[in-house]
Amino acid sequence: MEQQPSECLIAEGVTVRFGGLRALSDINLTLRPSEIVGLIGPNGAGKTTLVNCLSGFQKPTSGSVIVNNASTASWTAADFRFNGVARTFQSGRLFTDLTVRENIEVPLVALGMSRAKARREATALLEQTGLAASADKDAATLPYTDERRVGIARALAMQPSYLLLDEPAAGMSDSECEELMAIVQSLPRQFGCGVLLIEHNMTVVMNVSDRIHVLDVGQTLAEGRAEEIRGNLAVIDAYLGSEL
């Protein structure tokens, strides 16, 4: 087996069963800092289940998740966060009674920052994610697409080594997707974190990913660079079809 670098997030033989249903079967995936890995597949392929395993929200039935050479078998989701794994969710999960800036300040204060420093850091994160103009708006008033970007900013506040993005472009227009692509592409460079990107928008995935991992009915169908996935007949038959 190829030796992995000491700093990476690894799914090693991950299998998840829910009763008689096998949601994932022997999945191997590696995410290194400073790279973007796209995770694609049809609805029900197991993408969110895999992200749940990689972030501590789901325990594998068998196999293991490894963070920087450390076994996570006994970790809680909080342990994953404090060891550099952050994620977003398909739903925004914002504190709707707080402003946008305050939503970013909350995890920063939880990390031990003073309120003044948290405000400065939150302001910088909002600028980097294109949300500076919305900083003082109530989170409850945000359009859906901006909720997704606040979710990214809030995850970045945890200063992660690995950021797992669950369908951040869902519901966005073409122009909004272009803005998102620029943000996602900048994350490894600006924040030094690896990004695992679950996304149905093939334009986003193909343009920003260093590698792409394809799931189908809980199994790995293919893995490779965008040009390899585009030409993979099994992937085309199972999922992409005319989208490419």
Side-chain angles (χ1 to χ4, degrees), residues 81-181:
R81 289 195 298 274
F82 283 109
N83 282 277
V85 181
R87 67 169 297 179
T88 65
F89 295 86
Q90 292 181 20
S91 57
R93 297 194 177 189
L94 303 185
F95 299 111
T96 55
D97 55 340
L98 300 179
T99 67
V100 170
R101 192 196 326 263
E102 288 168 341
N103 264 271
I104 312 303
E105 290 177 30
V106 168
L108 291 167
V109 172
L111 287 173
M113 285 189 190
S114 68
R115 185 67 187 274
K117 185 176 181 181
R119 175 157 288 245
R120 291 194 299 272
E121 292 289 332
T123 299
L125 283 168
L126 290 171
E127 289 174 353
Q128 289 167 309
T129 51
L131 287 164
S134 300
D136 297 316
K137 292 181 180 178
D138 290 338
T141 67
L142 289 179
Y144 175 73
T145 54
D146 281 351
E147 285 185 13
R148 310 308 293 269
R149 289 200 285 176
V150 173
I152 293 173
R154 195 165 60 179
L156 288 169
M158 300 300 294
Q159 302 175 353
S161 298
Y162 312 100
L163 177 60
L164 317 180
L165 301 179
D166 197 347
E167 297 192 27
M172 291 187 177
S173 66
D174 288 344
S175 61
E176 289 167 334
C177 281
E178 287 181 10
E179 292 177 9
L180 180 74
M181 280 192 288

Side-chain angles (χ1 to χ4, degrees), residues 14 16 18 24 39 46-60 65 72 75-77 80 85 87-90 93 164 166 196 198:
V14 167
V16 175
F18 299 112
L24 294 174
L39 181 63
K47 302 183 298 296
T48 296
T49 301
L50 180 56
V51 168
N52 286 343
C53 290
L54 291 171
S55 55
F57 288 84
Q58 173 67 49
K59 293 292 185 185
V65 175
T72 65
W75 287 13
T76 65
F80 277 82
V85 181
R87 67 169 297 179
T88 65
F89 295 86
Q90 292 181 20
R93 297 194 177 189
L164 317 180
D166 197 347
L196 182 67
I198 296 182

Side-chain angles (χ1 to χ4, degrees), residues 210-231:
D210 298 302
R211 292 184 290 115
I212 297 173
H213 194 109
V214 187
L215 293 180
D216 188 31
V217 292
Q219 298 180 315
T220 296
L221 183 61
E223 185 176 15
R225 297 190 176 276
E227 57 270 21
E228 297 170 326
I229 298 302
R230 281 194 183 97

